[in-house]
Amino acid sequence: MPRRRSRSAVKHPRWQRRPEARPEEILSAALEVFGEKGFARTRLEDVAQRAGVCKGTLYLYFPSKDDLFRAMVTAKLEHVLASAEEVVRNWEGNTTELLRRFTADYWEVMNQPMYLRLARLVMSELGNFPELARWYYQEVILRLRRVIEAILARGIAAGEFRPVPQRLAARGLQMLVVHLAQYRHFFQPYDPAPISSEEMLAGIIDLYLHGVETPPAPLAVES
């Protein structure tokens, strides 16, 4: 007669992930590992280990490293981009205040560690992977540029902004925000005259508005 196993001999897992939670955990782990090792040096095994799943489980959701990268970017940025588009679409105030609000939100996002890691990865490595670079440009950079162009077009139509070249001006704001955020976090510790985040944001807004706003009409001089 077979012996019955005692209750203490039966091992039960202390916890199990809900299957629907696994993709989110994998994507968060992917951002960490990509940020630490770079795209080229990251292996799917590394991401699976960080997420606490086996490699086979990761492959069920993401068949390749490229697929994993695309899904990670979409998961981390889609709500940010959609929110920016919605704010611009529904804004009812003047365009100068809209530009201030957009720039402040953009600055806040780009100074978060998660987005800093992603921006650094994109700038340092993605040029070596043309298909991913093209996809990222279309899905993130160009989409955000269109938001800025819509703000500029609105301001020009309302007479608040002068007719600046919108495509160049939109690129300029993107570069100011992204590169100054990178500078602040990676090089400011070596700067003998550091600038606070609040000062940087105020400076970006001031410089940019002075570049695009319609100058006030000169005061009439009484004869």
Side-chain angles (χ1 to χ4, degrees):
M1 182 176 178
R3 295 176 58 189
R4 294 181 59 188
R5 296 177 65 187
S6 67
R7 281 176 166 262
S8 60
V10 179
K11 294 183 178 180
H12 297 282
R14 289 185 298 170
W15 56 275
Q16 289 183 328
R17 290 183 178 86
R18 292 175 291 110
E20 62 271 20
R22 284 178 178 162
E24 182 179 347
E25 292 169 353
I26 292 170
L27 293 173
S28 294
L31 180 57
E32 292 178 7
V33 178
F34 281 135
E36 293 169 8
K37 297 190 173 187
F39 184 83
R41 293 178 56 231
T42 292
R43 303 175 305 162
L44 291 182
E45 294 94 326
D46 302 326
V47 177
Q49 183 176 18
R50 183 71 59 91
V53 300
C54 66
K55 185 178 176 181
T57 298
L58 188 149
Y59 273 114
L60 288 176
Y61 297 106
F62 311 106
S64 71
K65 189 162 68 170
D66 285 13
D67 291 325
L68 177 59
F69 179 83
R70 290 187 176 94
M72 178 200 72
V73 170
T74 300
K76 302 304 178 184
L77 292 179
E78 172 59 32
H79 71 286
V80 174
L81 295 166
S83 176
E85 290 165 344
E86 184 178 5
V87 167
V88 173
R89 188 166 51 246
N90 297 326
W91 189 262
E92 295 181 354
N94 67 60
T95 314
T96 296
E97 289 308 310
L98 171 58
L99 184 59
R100 289 181 183 275
R101 160 74 184 275
F102 170 83
T103 306
D105 290 347
Y106 191 12
W107 180 251
E108 181 181 358
V109 167
M110 290 311 305
N111 277 274
Q112 295 176 23
M114 175 175 69
Y115 298 110
L116 282 165
R117 286 196 297 268
L118 182 55
R120 183 173 59 173
L121 170 65
V122 168
M123 289 189 290
S124 65
E125 270 202 273
L126 223 55
N128 298 322
F129 303 92
E131 288 304 315
L132 280 183
R134 184 178 295 107
W135 176 85
Y136 186 89
Y137 191 87
Q138 294 290 330
E139 297 297 323
V140 178
I141 297 175
L142 190 55
R143 186 173 169 186
L144 187 60
R145 185 193 305 163
R146 290 187 182 119
V147 173
I148 302 172
E149 289 175 351
I151 296 173
L152 294 172
R154 172 185 170 136
I156 292 168
E160 297 176 63
F161 299 164
R162 60 191 182 86
V164 296
Q166 295 173 37
R167 292 185 299 170
L168 178 61
R171 286 174 170 87
L173 184 56
Q174 285 180 300
M175 291 179 182
L176 272 173
V177 171
V178 173
H179 288 284
L180 279 176
Q182 293 285 308
Y183 157 79
R184 177 173 173 267
H185 286 269
F186 299 119
F187 295 105
Q188 183 148 284
Y190 313 105
D191 192 329
I195 304 173
S196 71
S197 177
E198 293 76 16
E199 288 175 304
M200 280 194 180
L201 173 60
I204 291 169
I205 292 173
D206 180 69
L207 283 171
Y208 198 78
L209 282 176
H210 276 83
V212 301
E213 279 186 312
T214 300
L219 294 174
V221 179
E222 295 182 2
S223 58

